Amino acid sequence: MSRFGRFDDTAREYVITRPDTPLPWINYLGNEEFFGIITNTGAGYAFFRDARFRRLIRYRYNNAPLDVGGRFLYVRDARSGDWWSPTWQPSRTDLEDFQCRHGLGYTVIGSRREGIRCESLFFVPVAQTLEIWRVRLTNERPEPADLSLFGAAEFCLWDAWDDATNFQRNYSTGEVEVVDGVIFHRTEYRERRNHLAYLACSAQPTGFDTRRDAFLGPYRGWDRPVAVERGRSGNSIAHGWAPCGSLQVDRTLGPSETAEVVFLLGYTENPPDAKFDPPGSQTIRTAGVRPVVERFTRAEEVEAALGEVRASWSDLLEILQVGTPNEHADRMVNVWNPYQNMVTFNLSRSASLFESGVGRGIGFRDSSQDLLGFVHMVPGRARQRILDLAGTQLPSGGAYHQYQPLTKRGNDDIGSGFNDDPLWLIIAVAAYVKETGDRGILDQAVPYDNEPGSESPLYEHLQRAIRYTLDRLGPHGLPLIGRADWNDCLNLNAFSETPGESFQTVENREGGVAESVFIAGLFAAAAKELAALAALHGRAEDAEAAREARVRMISVVGEHAWDGDWFRRAYDHAGAVIGSTENDEGRIFIEPQGMCVMGGIGIDDGRAELALASVAEHLATPHGIVLLQPAYTRYRVELGEITSYPPGYKENAGVFCHTNPWIVIAETLVGNGDRAFDYYLRINPSAREPISDVHRCEPYVYAQMIAGKDAPTHGEAKNSWLTGTAAWNYVAMTQWILGIRPEHDGLRIDPCLPSDWEGFTAVRRFRDATYRIDVRKPGSVSGRVASLVVDGDPVEGTLVPPAPEGATVTVEAAIEP
Ligand code: BGC
Ligand code: NOJ
């Protein structure tokens, strides 16, 4: 068995046909403030805004058996006493017809057992702070069935970190309140919290439980709750220990009859001065949430809310739809890649099954890059994200590495002084202005470090970002790396000898002079963007200064960072070269080959082509391009975390997927469409679907890493979903291979296609006009656009000028060898 499901392209769903996928395959519910992670067996967890501080339900990440937790459904047949989990977990009872459909913003899990069919739909309605679980039970037996349905959740005591560690306190604080059949989780509401979680249901429950040990029974797990086994709830009230919510609904179903029960798992807040009702009492005020519960337990409201979720995704995806000769490209570009881009935008690197939600918030460089993949869908939210990020920038031009979504304040929790960080902001702002034409954002006043009174125009923030690099050049004139650059694990100033110490936060050794060629390449790219923004902003002198700084940096790269066949990677604390033929391990790295060429270095003089040929020769594998070769085989204190990984994993010569699209883009910059598309397909999750048993992660989204050729598990993916890989592959495919590229003065149509394609079509909405694009090319040749016809008129070059609002424009491009 090498597949565990299939794509349903028409429904835009991935259909998983057996519950025991190699790893839990997840989906995300919610798109604004309230989010749920749901696996193919219904497990997972939900949170409001912040996966650490406002977590509603508990999930144990590294549990055995895998993936027990979060939401629980049980069906019990009163006549036989048989009972099971219709989503397979947690009871893992045998089921017929198991099917999990992960769609855009919703998941449906269906199964059948002993003639009882159950279909459960999970989603978060647009702009609401609750999850809907709609359960449909159908009796396919010839005789009536007496059924009990239990819907349950184990509450997290809000702060997921504290919840998992501080038992001496938490075993005494848990509180619930049951009001009119709705279970409210109210731990710490008596003191400083003004928020509640609740579990409600569309039917009058026949019973409930809120004490985990009463529901499960002593020494039992969620796979065998005693209340379900005996078919009767305990109506228990939790005092401390582990509060949970379970609601029992009993139904007798005639042959072919269907019952629908809606459970709601929600989050609600009361004003801090109106927490109790009557005022002065300790009884929670439920007036605010009651209408919400009433509304979303009605079948027609659920249906309408689902329709709204679907429509919102269709609207977003419609902004770019393509028709190419390759189904994997189409599927990813039209559906799954932009979907993943929205998830990375929403959650940065905080919450997945590989990110626990407790440590990492919104990353500065991560979000700046993620933005490249979602700016066309939600430009307003992209604008806000840019301002939020810039608002955490430091007066020096440097940046906090992350901020916490609840407070939007930057922090050093996962380290600071990553010298590439601020440059990414320029890349993000440039992409935003190109997409929207909104130059006004450059005038927007933004504080530094969130300090009121420190505001300056965003434009000044960008200038400071450039200056931050120029103020920190090393002995060769290359940018100092600081704590690390894009590669968080290249800790050239850390020298950590203490077990368990974080490479990201350990104090750097004094006088760190380690330099990064990657930052030099990124600087070349960013300075070019800044020069263009400065010119648009009417600052000709600044534009000239940025251009000159770029030229100087490029010449330093030529002098000190070109190794003969490829770009070097760095110079370490002692001034020794990294990523050179002089090294025995780590002779060639992928990042500078991608970023230097993207920064425009070496394109005119053949070095770009040489560097890319070296990538093909030394780094490319059938499972993608590895980060470096040869892998480091022992720990090197002067290099840091990169050498802490076994060979072939993560930054130590894994296929670190984020970097692969940089090479794809670089290949298009030297006109090599065949190699660009070949690399694109090697890590395309849909193209890897037939080897799901090797790949193991979801076949519908990118993973951060695929084990490299030095690893015993070469080809195995890890860390799916939250990765910059998503945005960059989207950019590489849509803007560089298909060549549909927003620029300041219009929409560039400049594809670099594989030679066997005969063209493609696309519909792109851009600045309130619609472009219907048809690109034609003779098969079996490579070439670039030779003629462009816009609305019937030939246009010089490859730029389509912006059309008036509301216009539909026809673009015909012909490619010739
Ligand atoms: C990982 C990096 C990651 C960093 C974040 C490291 O352990 O290998 O991929 O960027 O942690 O702090
Ligand atoms: C994952 C981090 O989120 C990202 O910021 C970093 O660039 C890569 N790992 C590479 O280390």
Side-chain angles (χ1 to χ4, degrees):
M1 162 66 81
S2 51
R3 272 190 170 89
F4 297 81
R6 63 186 155 81
F7 285 92
D8 181 338
D9 293 324
T10 318
R12 292 174 168 162
E13 291 173 340
Y14 191 80
V15 187
I16 300 165
T17 46
R18 47 185 290 181
D20 54 341
T21 45
L23 294 165
W25 285 0
I26 73 170
N27 193 12
Y28 285 84
L29 312 177
N31 197 16
E32 274 157 82
E33 296 204 298
F34 187 93
F35 298 98
I37 289 177
I38 183 162
T39 74
N40 52 306
T41 63
Y45 59 97
F47 54 93
F48 173 75
R49 275 200 200 149
D50 189 307
R52 170 168 175 183
F53 292 111
R54 292 287 185 280
R55 183 148 345 172
L56 274 78
I57 50 180
R58 225 172 238 168
Y59 185 80
R60 294 173 189 81
Y61 277 89
N62 50 6
N63 215 356
L66 207 59
D67 195 29
V68 176
R71 313 166 187 84
F72 305 101
L73 293 172
Y74 305 90
V75 178
R76 183 175 185 276
D77 178 350
R79 295 196 189 168
S80 62
D82 184 31
W83 61 271
W84 65 97
S85 305
T87 59
W88 195 60
Q89 288 276 32
S91 77
R92 294 181 300 282
T93 317
D94 289 343
L95 299 172
E96 297 155 38
D97 287 357
F98 175 87
Q99 199 180 73
C100 166
R101 291 178 164 264
H102 282 321
L104 307 182
Y106 67 90
T107 287
V108 182
I109 304 175
S111 67
R112 197 162 64 115
R113 181 173 164 88
E114 301 290 337
I116 304 299
R117 185 172 289 285
C118 183
E119 188 200 81
S120 324
L121 160 75
F122 303 87
F123 72 102
V124 173
V126 173
Q128 299 293 328
T129 60
L130 57 95
E131 270 185 21
I132 292 182
W133 314 346
R134 183 188 68 191
V135 185
R136 283 185 173 151
L137 282 173
T138 302
N139 178 12
E140 295 182 349
R141 298 175 185 164
E143 73 274 3
D146 290 329
L147 303 174
S148 296
L149 173 67
F150 296 79
E154 180 175 351
F155 293 119
C156 175
L157 307 193
W158 301 117
D159 175 346
W161 173 252
D162 194 69
D163 182 70
T165 48
N166 192 6
F167 307 114
Q168 62 80 21
R169 171 177 162 84
N170 294 338
Y171 284 169
S172 292
T173 56
E175 288 189 300
V176 296
E177 197 169 318
V178 183
V179 188
D180 299 335
V182 180
I183 296 171
F184 287 91
H185 173 226
R186 54 166 291 174
T187 299
E188 293 185 349
Y189 190 78
R190 56 169 52 254
E191 31 130 343
R192 291 154 297 175
R193 294 189 186 277
N194 63 328
H195 41 265
L196 302 156
Y198 59 87
L199 184 73
C201 147
S202 58
Q204 191 52 46
T206 39
F208 66 86
D209 272 296
T210 69
R211 254 178 60 204
R212 190 183 70 185
D213 58 349
F215 181 69
L216 301 183
Y219 290 92
R220 288 182 178 225
W222 288 95
D223 57 337
R224 213 157 56 91
V226 72
V228 175
E229 198 175 86
R230 73 171 177 242
R232 202 180 63 254
S233 299
N235 297 345
S236 58
I237 295 290
H239 302 285
W241 296 111
C244 69
S246 166
L247 295 171
Q248 176 183 355
V249 176
D250 293 343
R251 282 277 187 278
T252 299
L253 294 183
S256 307
E257 198 184 336
T258 298
E260 181 173 304
V261 180
V262 180
F263 294 97
L264 305 181
L265 173 73
Y267 171 92
T268 182
E269 285 177 4
N270 279 324
D273 55 358
K275 286 171 36 171
F276 301 105
D277 187 12
S281 75
Q282 284 292 300
T283 311
I284 57 175
R285 181 173 168 273
T286 58
V289 72
R290 237 177 279 146
V292 179
V293 170
E294 202 269 325
R295 174 174 171 198
F296 289 106
T297 44
R298 288 209 305 271
E300 65 284 4
E301 288 286 348
V302 172
E303 205 51 53
L306 178 65
E308 218 185 316
V309 168
R310 285 182 194 269
S312 71
W313 278 108
S314 295
D315 289 350
L316 292 175
L317 298 185
E318 238 168 53
I319 296 165
L320 175 60
Q321 289 289 300
V322 303
T324 78
N326 187 284
E327 63 168 335
H328 306 299
D330 280 7
R331 196 174 268 159
M332 291 310 292
V333 168
N334 292 337
V335 184
W336 296 98
N337 200 162
Y339 184 59
Q340 184 177 6
N341 293 345
M342 283 297 289
V343 172
T344 59
F345 159 51
N346 282 324
L347 300 167
S348 192
R349 303 297 172 268
S350 69
S352 71
L353 290 198
F354 299 90
E355 299 287 1
S356 67
V358 300
R360 301 176 68 185
I362 307 288
F364 194 93
R365 80 155 85 86
D366 292 330
S367 276
S368 298
Q369 293 170 83
D370 293 345
L371 187 135
L372 307 176
F374 69 79
V375 60
H376 64 296
M377 293 188 282
V378 285
R381 294 177 74 191
R383 187 179 206 276
Q384 189 56 52
R385 178 62 60 90
I386 286 172
L387 301 179
D388 289 347
L389 288 168
T392 67
Q393 199 184 359
L394 299 163
S396 65
Y400 282 110
H401 204 42
Q402 70 159 9
Y403 70 82
Q404 216 54 43
L406 215 49
T407 59
K408 292 194 176 174
R409 291 202 74 105
N411 64 55
D412 287 336
D413 296 356
I414 56 162
S416 61
F418 298 83
N419 282 351
D420 64 313
D421 267 335
L423 293 174
W424 293 109
L425 184 65
I426 298 172
I427 305 285
V429 172
Y432 169 80
V433 177
K434 287 176 182 174
E435 178 66 39
T436 60
D438 170 18
R439 299 169 190 175
I441 194 173
L442 298 173
D443 289 318
Q444 179 81 39
V446 186
Y448 294 92
D449 198 2
N450 289 115
E451 276 312 318
S454 68
E455 289 80 4
S456 79
L458 179 65
Y459 178 77
E460 175 62 24
H461 282 250
L462 304 187
Q463 290 291 346
R464 289 198 196 183
I466 283 282
R467 234 174 291 140
Y468 182 85
T469 305
L470 294 176
D471 288 347
R472 287 166 184 75
L473 299 177
H476 298 90
L478 291 163
L480 292 178
I481 198 168
R483 174 159 305 278
D485 58 24
W486 170 89
N487 190 330
D488 276 332
C489 300
L490 205 56
N491 314 117
L492 303 182
N493 299 310
F495 294 85
S496 175
E497 308 259 23
T498 309
E501 191 167 64
S502 161
F503 290 96
Q504 316 291 322
T505 55
V506 60
E507 201 175 323
N508 279 334
R509 183 175 283 186
E510 279 291 291
V513 290
E515 297 167 281
S516 161
V517 179
F518 175 83
I519 299 182
L522 178 60
F523 182 87
K528 191 170 168 193
E529 297 295 359
L530 188 66
L533 288 170
L536 280 180
H537 203 52
R539 304 290 178 86
E541 273 176 32
D542 292 350
E544 192 45 36
R547 276 192 290 267
E548 279 170 13
R550 176 170 182 269
V551 169
R552 276 196 307 276
M553 187 67 79
I554 291 177
S555 106
V556 172
V557 169
E559 218 170 309
H560 297 291
W562 179 250
D563 202 59
D565 283 317
W566 56 76
F567 294 99
R568 298 175 163 183
R569 181 62 179 86
Y571 287 93
D572 72 14
H573 194 275
V577 68
I578 298 172
S580 156
T581 44
E582 290 175 30
N583 301 108
D584 58 343
E585 296 179 343
R587 288 158 70 92
I588 172 171
F589 280 65
I590 193 172
E591 307 103 302
Q593 321 315 326
M595 196 46 76
C596 288
V597 177
M598 285 165 70
I601 309 177
I603 295 181
D604 300 337
D605 57 21
R607 281 178 302 163
E609 272 163 320
L610 264 179
L612 293 170
S614 300
V615 168
E617 184 183 343
H618 301 289
L619 302 179
T621 82
H623 294 290
I625 313 167
V626 298
L627 194 142
L628 64 90
Q629 275 299 293
Y632 292 107
T633 52
R634 58 185 175 85
Y635 180 60
R636 300 187 189 218
V637 70
E638 75 282 11
L639 303 185
E641 186 169 3
I642 191 164
T643 62
S644 74
Y645 289 112
Y649 293 101
K650 293 277 281 182
E651 280 87 342
N652 187 13
V655 175
F656 209 96
C657 296
H658 188 138
T659 60
N660 281 218
W662 295 343
I663 300 298
V664 171
I665 294 171
E667 288 288 2
T668 68
L669 288 170
V670 300
N672 200 339
D674 280 323
R675 208 140 73 180
F677 190 65
D678 175 14
Y679 286 152
Y680 170 78
L681 277 189
R682 293 189 200 192
I683 62 165
N684 178 303
S686 162
R688 296 174 61 78
E689 189 205 17
I691 53 161
S692 287
D693 51 343
V694 176
H695 185 79
R696 299 187 82 229
C697 280
E698 296 91 333
Y700 40 91
V701 290
Y702 288 97
Q704 181 199 65
M705 196 240 345
I706 297 172
K709 56 186 173 183
D710 303 285
T713 58
H714 186 30
E716 180 190 35
K718 278 185 198 145
N719 303 4
S720 54
W721 281 96
L722 302 182
T723 161
T725 311
W728 277 110
N729 272 293
Y730 190 74
V731 168
M733 185 64 211
T734 61
Q735 299 193 16
W736 297 95
I737 293 179
L738 300 182
I740 305 173
R741 213 155 54 233
E743 290 191 359
H744 292 302
D745 301 325
L747 195 59
R748 180 78 59 192
I749 309 294
D750 180 25
C752 180
L753 303 179
S755 48
D756 60 346
W757 284 23
E758 292 183 351
F760 69 92
T761 57
V763 181
R764 174 67 151 95
R765 284 192 62 79
F766 174 64
R767 299 192 200 167
D768 294 321
T770 303
Y771 298 79
R772 310 190 79 84
I773 303 160
D774 190 359
V775 176
R776 289 297 119 206
K777 165 176 134 0
S780 74
V781 301
S782 322
R784 300 310 272 250
V785 168
S787 76
L788 193 68
V789 177
V790 178
D791 276 342
D793 296 326
V795 166
E796 274 293 308
T798 54
L799 190 71
V800 183
E805 229 172 85
T808 298
V809 182
T810 315
V811 181
E812 293 156 277
I815 292 183
E816 283 171 23

